[in-house]
Amino acid sequence: MDRLSVSLRQRVITACCTFALALTACTEDVADDNSLPDGRYPMTFTTTVQGLTQTRATVDNTWAGTEEVAVMAGNTVKKYMAANGGELTPADTDNPHYWTSKTMTVQAWYSATYSDTRPEKFTVQPGQNNGTGYQQSDMLYAIASVSYSGGSSASLEFKHLPAKVVVNLKADTQNGITEADVTNATVTLVNQALTSGTITVDEDGKTYTVAQAVSGSDGITPQKSGQTVSGYQQTVQALVVPQQMQGRKFIKVTTGAGTAARDYYYTPTTEADGKLEAGNQYTYNITVKKDKLEVTASSSVSWKDDVTTGNAQEATFRINYESGMTLTAGDGKGTLTDESSGTKVLSGSNLLKVTLKKQDDKFLKDISVSSIYCTRQSWKSVGDDYEIIYQLKSDVTLTSHFVDKPALEVGSYYYADGDWSTEWWDKKPCIGIVFKVGKDDSDNNSYPNLSPVQGYVVALQDAPEGRQPFGSSADISSFTASTTEFKGYTACQEMSKKDGFSIDSHWACYSALHYTPEAPAASSGWYLPSLGEWNALWQNYGTVKEKFATAGGSKMDKSWGFYWSMSKKNNGDTQPALVDFGAWSSTTSFSDKIRNDESTSYTRPILTF
């Protein structure tokens, strides 16, 4: 595909906006009611541009840096400016949107002309082959209910209100039609002079209806596409009003000129072939014959660019990569061939595995990918390597970013590949927060994969299913009642060897050992802590809680915040002990919050690394 480099208004996108609270608010406690203090928590907007690129025609999907986007939070509309990197900043930097409640309705729109009033109609231009007619025919709209949760992100996805039509033409050269006839043919989309209609955009149960208006001309002249389709002599594309074209002349192909001109028409005969819906692309592959058009209409596909037509797994992808990276097909089915030094071509699969050696005294902060037509499926540590798997939808360039290894401290972010950082790295998956540095003197557990022990990490989230019984037949006779000894790992390993060990009979321990996301190989794996480990977390919970907010974790000091342990409260007990994090305060002793009188509690695993 030819990659053009023009402004965003020359690209059709599906945009996903991430809303995050400024980090300065991460340490703030928020009232339990639904209101937030106006002017205190500013909204920051970062966009990830996705989708078909041919109205805004670069496949790197970057903003030109001049676009004006209207964003409405609640009932107030403010103008935001797009930056090349995807950030949206308020045109009036002293007057951004602020969170005023924990749940807010946010709408945004972007069209050829900025308006601080939500447009009630958009106009599809008849001359999309000239100037900016194609770009000006697009209208993007988004609506979502977003929730404040102490720094976690919310997404806002833009929807294209027009539909896109692609026409591929080829000549029946065996029966008197030449390739030149088709190359020079004129394509017109007819019967497009609608005056009204509706589009309903559904998002989280919300709807928005927009009236449409098409300029007075009855026909739309499409734009010549920059995409070359194998076997076809001409490809054109146009944006149209969503409608049903069944039984109506739709695509007109004119060959020749003057007295030699001949008009061919395609009329969809089925509801499926004639249905044009907002945000979808419809491709019509047409063979021009002497006496008719032979048309194959593709099924509706989401309005996005998979770079190739057809099945993505049958596509060919070009990967530019650095020395030191090893590339393999992610599912073992594809074929990688060398095109040149630093460039490979992947065929037969759209899954790519990237293996990169770890470096002494450095951590891998990020692998930047040149195209957003690429989704990261996993990122983990395997022995001395980082292993990242991507799902490709386009050619990509991969660039690694290593940073100096920071000193480990309480509150460090801990990642799925075993790295940590004292600052927040948002490009790689964080799975927990460090609550203790160094091996505890009481820790006599035998960790097969660890030498030496560097610290202890608490997971970001509780195990699924909420509060549950510890386990109906769980044997705790070997548990201790110590509040200082680190016994959780060994106790979990011993319990896992008991007959009939399962999620039903040993829910708390089983849920901890089988917790996801997966723990790094160079760690103990997840386990349920004993009172000694809970005590260490208790002492540093204030710091850990702040980092939970930044990393998207859920706090533990909540109403009825009871957490199971692999300990007893007293040596003679027959019930496991739990810790009441919901009653936490810096002036309360840990021993005062140990209980054994609750039938259900949460599970929050930890790991040693």
Side-chain angles (χ1 to χ4, degrees):
M1 177 187 294
D2 181 30
R3 284 156 167 74
L4 305 175
S5 181
V6 291
S7 73
L8 180 71
R9 279 308 305 169
Q10 294 173 296
R11 297 181 289 123
V12 172
I13 59 173
T14 303
C16 180
C17 294
T18 301
F19 294 72
L21 289 176
L23 295 182
T24 55
C26 290
T27 62
E28 299 287 349
D29 288 328
V30 180
D32 288 334
D33 60 19
N34 193 53
S35 62
L36 291 172
D38 193 6
R40 186 171 183 182
Y41 301 101
M43 287 179 164
T44 59
F45 300 77
T46 302
T47 65
T48 302
V49 182
Q50 300 175 348
L52 191 69
T53 60
Q54 295 306 306
T55 58
R56 302 165 178 82
T58 59
V59 293
D60 62 356
N61 284 293
T62 57
W63 297 83
T66 58
E67 295 79 22
E68 299 176 339
V69 181
V71 179
M72 182 166 73
N75 296 317
T76 303
V77 178
K78 295 184 180 181
K79 181 189 295 185
Y80 278 71
M81 304 300 296
N84 297 89
E87 299 83 8
L88 294 182
T89 56
D92 181 355
T93 56
D94 294 327
N95 187 29
H97 278 302
Y98 289 91
W99 289 94
T100 57
S101 64
K102 293 181 182 178
T103 301
M104 297 177 66
T105 297
V106 177
Q107 301 178 62
W109 52 89
Y110 176 57
S111 58
T113 303
Y114 176 85
S115 173
D116 58 9
T117 301
R118 186 182 65 192
E120 294 301 325
K121 64 181 180 179
F122 70 95
T123 301
V124 172
Q125 302 297 318
Q128 296 187 24
N129 60 327
N130 296 317
T132 58
Y134 185 57
Q135 302 91 286
Q136 292 177 346
S137 297
D138 196 20
M139 171 71 185
L140 299 171
Y141 174 76
I143 183 171
S145 177
V146 296
S147 297
Y148 169 84
S149 57
S152 62
S153 62
S155 62
L156 183 66
E157 185 176 73
F158 282 83
K159 183 177 179 66
H160 299 273
L161 297 188
K164 181 179 180 182
V165 172
V166 175
V167 178
N168 298 316
L169 295 179
K170 67 179 178 180
D172 180 13
T173 56
Q174 301 301 313
N175 294 289
I177 300 294
T178 68
E179 290 187 359
D181 289 333
V182 171
T183 301
N184 297 318
T186 300
V187 179
T188 309
L189 305 183
V190 297
N191 289 319
Q192 297 298 298
L194 299 181
T195 57
S196 65
T198 60
I199 297 172
T200 301
V201 179
D202 293 307
E203 183 70 23
D204 295 332
K206 295 180 174 58
T207 61
Y208 169 52
T209 303
V210 57
Q212 306 128 35
V214 183
S215 294
S217 172
D218 181 63
I220 294 174
T221 304
Q223 176 194 68
K224 290 287 182 75
S225 173
Q227 183 178 17
T228 300
V229 180
S230 178
Y232 292 85
Q233 287 80 54
Q234 185 179 171
T235 296
V236 297
Q237 57 194 15
L239 304 181
V240 302
V241 167
Q243 58 189 288
Q244 176 55 257
M245 293 301 299
Q246 182 183 8
R248 300 161 60 200
K249 290 181 178 180
F250 178 30
I251 300 174
K252 175 184 175 183
V253 179
T254 303
T255 62
T259 58
R262 174 175 289 187
D263 293 334
Y264 299 83
Y265 289 92
Y266 164 63
T267 301
T269 58
T270 68
E271 181 179 359
D273 289 350
K275 188 176 184 179
L276 306 175
E277 292 186 306
N280 283 357
Q281 174 180 311
Y282 301 85
T283 300
Y284 299 88
N285 298 320
I286 298 178
T287 300
V288 181
K289 294 179 172 288
K290 189 92 170 175
D291 58 345
K292 63 181 179 181
L293 298 179
E294 186 175 270
V295 181
T296 301
S298 72
S299 299
S300 166
V301 295
S302 177
W303 195 343
K304 62 183 180 180
D305 188 3
D306 286 343
V307 177
T308 182
T309 57
N311 190 328
Q313 293 188 355
E314 298 174 357
T316 297
F317 305 104
R318 181 173 290 100
I319 303 106
N320 298 310
Y321 65 102
E322 296 177 334
S323 173
M325 290 182 178
T326 300
L327 308 184
T328 55
D331 55 6
K333 297 179 182 179
T335 301
L336 274 164
T337 56
D338 291 321
E339 182 177 76
S340 61
S341 177
T343 302
K344 288 185 181 290
V345 175
L346 174 65
S347 58
S349 175
N350 64 345
L351 291 180
L352 175 70
K353 180 190 294 185
V354 180
T355 303
L356 189 59
K357 289 292 182 184
K358 295 182 178 178
Q359 298 183 14
D360 292 340
D361 300 322
K362 288 186 180 294
F363 284 149
L364 180 61
K365 180 178 181 180
D366 184 23
I367 290 185
S368 62
V369 183
S370 61
S371 172
I372 57 84
Y373 297 131
C374 176
T375 303
R376 190 183 68 220
Q377 302 295 297
S378 66
W379 181 327
K380 62 182 180 181
S381 173
V382 179
D384 294 330
D385 298 326
Y386 299 102
E387 182 180 285
I388 303 99
I389 296 179
Y390 297 99
Q391 183 183 53
L392 303 182
K393 296 182 180 179
S394 73
D395 298 347
V396 295
T397 296
L398 305 173
T399 307
S400 64
H401 302 280
F402 282 87
V403 297
D404 291 336
K405 185 179 293 186
L408 184 65
E409 61 184 47
V410 170
S412 294
Y413 302 99
Y414 185 77
Y415 300 93
D417 57 12
D419 289 348
W420 65 80
S421 67
T422 53
E423 61 176 303
W424 173 237
W425 297 344
D426 61 351
K427 299 301 183 182
K428 57 193 296 182
C430 178
I431 61 174
I433 305 298
V434 175
F435 66 89
K436 180 175 175 58
V437 174
K439 186 175 183 179
D440 189 82
D441 292 340
S442 73
D443 188 348
N444 296 317
N445 297 295
S446 177
Y447 303 107
N449 300 323
L450 299 182
S451 181
V453 169
Q454 300 181 82
Y456 303 82
V457 170
V458 60
L460 293 181
Q461 306 290 343
D462 299 336
E465 300 181 359
R467 293 175 59 192
Q468 297 289 330
F470 186 92
S472 58
S473 63
D475 183 0
I476 67 165
S477 60
S478 62
F479 286 9
T480 70
S482 171
T483 61
T484 59
E485 293 181 324
F486 280 42
K487 297 293 186 182
Y489 178 80
T490 297
C492 279
Q493 295 302 310
E494 291 177 353
M495 181 168 283
S496 69
K497 298 173 184 177
K498 293 185 178 296
D499 292 341
F501 180 74
S502 70
I503 193 169
D504 295 323
S505 60
H506 304 81
W507 178 82
C509 179
Y510 188 97
S511 296
L513 292 176
H514 293 83
Y515 180 80
T516 55
E518 181 181 359
S523 74
S524 64
W526 298 110
Y527 61 92
L528 187 63
S530 66
L531 288 179
E533 286 118 342
W534 274 148
N535 192 2
L537 174 61
W538 183 276
Q539 309 308 322
N540 293 312
Y541 181 70
T543 299
V544 171
K545 178 183 175 182
E546 292 179 10
K547 301 306 177 71
F548 277 161
T550 303
S554 61
K555 64 182 183 179
M556 299 170 67
D557 56 332
K558 55 194 172 188
S559 179
W560 301 90
F562 305 144
Y563 285 86
W564 288 122
S565 76
M566 296 297 286
S567 299
K568 300 177 183 179
K569 182 178 181 181
N570 300 295
N571 283 328
D573 290 341
T574 59
Q575 298 296 321
L578 58 93
V579 177
D580 181 5
F581 273 84
W584 179 87
S585 75
S586 59
T587 59
T588 303
S589 68
F590 175 72
S591 60
D592 289 340
K593 299 308 169 187
I594 303 173
R595 305 174 57 169
N596 63 358
D597 56 351
E598 288 292 327
S599 60
T600 61
S601 293
Y602 295 102
T603 286
R604 178 73 67 108
I606 67 170
L607 63 78
T608 308
F609 70 101

